[in-house]
Amino acid sequence: MSENTGHPAEASGSTRREFMRHAVLAGSVAAATAPWLRAEAASPNETIRVGQIGCGGRAGAHMSSYEWLREDQKMNVKITAVCDIYKPRAERAAKKYGAEKIYMDHKELLADPNVDVVSIATPDHHHGYQALDAILAGKDVYCEKPLTHWRQYELTRELCRAAMASQQVMQVGCQAMSDSAYHQMAKMVRDGMIGQPIHGETGYFRVGDWGEVGMPIDDPKARPGADLNWDAFLGDAPKRPFNVSRLFRWRMYEDYSGGPVTDLFPHPLTPLMHILGVGFPSKAVAVGGKYRYNEREVPDTFNMLLEFPEKVCVAVLGTQGNNDQGVDARGAGGRVPIVRGHEGSLTIVDEDIVFKPAEGGKEKEEKRFHIEQPEDTKLFFKNFIECCMKRDKNTLSGPELAFKVQTALHMAAYAQREEKTIRYDAVMEKIIL
């Protein structure tokens, strides 16, 4: 394990003090700053003012989606503030999207009364802290996946508890959940089409590590100073000297990322767990490592098995060394899922959900059901903004499901690193080595 990461089931003293600080401030801060803390729904004529935290590559999808909602869908949404620890990125975003304020500290953006909603697209190890700060400041939150870094389980738990207990709307950036196929399949499972679920299979395969081919170094001459806050970038990660590759290609490094298990697997695992209707895993095992890209610290290949108390086993397979999905890829969800039950199986072929009867089952013929709405990232953002306007917390990818999924990813990350079976105590809500 890396230095200063702590035990998976325990938070550090500083983290505990931070949570206590949040708890004490929660009531007063939220009451003072939340524009939506009222019983009635927000009027559709009110403008939803967005503050973008993080202005790198993924943030472009956020901001262009909000612009599409404003320009094409005529929705009252506007980017009013941007924030990035690297000021040139924030300045470019502000100029492109017409933001009025530029910040380098997300807490200053959260204190801005002209921000109603925050959209978080920062390195993984910042997501949870920024989302929790936003919830406690009374802001609605769109947070990129993964919800937290692989070593931040307690933060995951605290964030999800806070989000579920609050009046704030929260959506986690698993845009695959905009695909109606997964909601249609979930209903089919609930209605008993496949009988008792017993097995789920999915994965994510591609060629290329984002560190080498997808995350450019914006400025090789960038250095800490007035326009670059290196200490803020490090956050709760181990303190290290400035390194331009760590700043711009952070997905390569275990201090800030986790490789496929947290970078890619939220996409296929979130819809699969939703379809199956399972809770927290009881056990996780995993294997993998650096099979192709030796420059990086995090694995490029990862394979995991999860066992659930509902007597369901889930397999998630993946590598960044080959892009053959084995079956058709489906949007951000990666490999299409297969859900097996006592009476039959469900999967996706082209634009149809396919039911295949099991040997000895009641049904004898294959059935096909048309998928009503394929994945659409812009519609995913539209769902979020509509929920903010209506004060509807039932987003397509909310904190309750994210808590279960992220816990499974934490468990698998530790299983691979520790070469152990990792267990979960659902009563105590603790990961056990």
Side-chain angles (χ1 to χ4, degrees), residues 131-153:
L132 180 58
D133 285 340
I135 290 291
L136 296 180
K139 313 293 185 180
D140 295 328
V141 178
Y142 183 104
C143 183
E144 264 304 324
K145 58 79 204 164
L147 193 61
T148 55
H149 187 266
W150 61 266
R151 58 181 162 77
Q152 295 171 334
Y153 167 71

Side-chain angles (χ1 to χ4, degrees), residues 280-332:
F280 294 90
S282 53
K283 297 178 187 175
V285 294
V287 295
K290 294 188 292 182
Y291 292 6
R292 179 168 181 175
Y293 300 110
N294 291 320
E295 179 184 5
R296 61 194 280 161
E297 293 180 355
V298 296
D300 55 48
T301 299
F302 202 98
N303 300 280
M304 57 189 271
L305 290 173
L306 303 170
E307 185 176 80
F308 291 85
E310 294 90 345
K311 293 186 178 180
V312 175
C313 185
V314 165
V316 188
L317 312 177
T319 182
Q320 292 175 339
N322 184 291
N323 68 342
D324 183 358
Q325 299 285 353
V327 290
D328 290 339
R330 186 160 186 83

Side-chain angles (χ1 to χ4, degrees), residues 177 182-183 186 190 269-278 401:
M177 291 296 287
Y182 305 130
H183 304 280
R190 289 197 305 272
L269 183 58
T270 300
L272 182 55
M273 288 180 61
H274 173 66
I275 292 166
L276 289 166
V278 291
L401 176 59

Side-chain angles (χ1 to χ4, degrees), residues 9-10 173 254 376 404:
E10 299 295 333
E254 64 179 5
D376 189 319
K404 298 170 187 174

Side-chain angles (χ1 to χ4, degrees), residues 367-382:
K367 297 179 181 179
R368 284 181 172 250
F369 306 86
H370 184 66
I371 295 169
E372 297 166 1
Q373 171 62 57
E375 178 184 326
D376 189 319
T377 295
K378 288 184 170 62
L379 292 182
F380 190 63
F381 277 88
K382 185 177 183 180

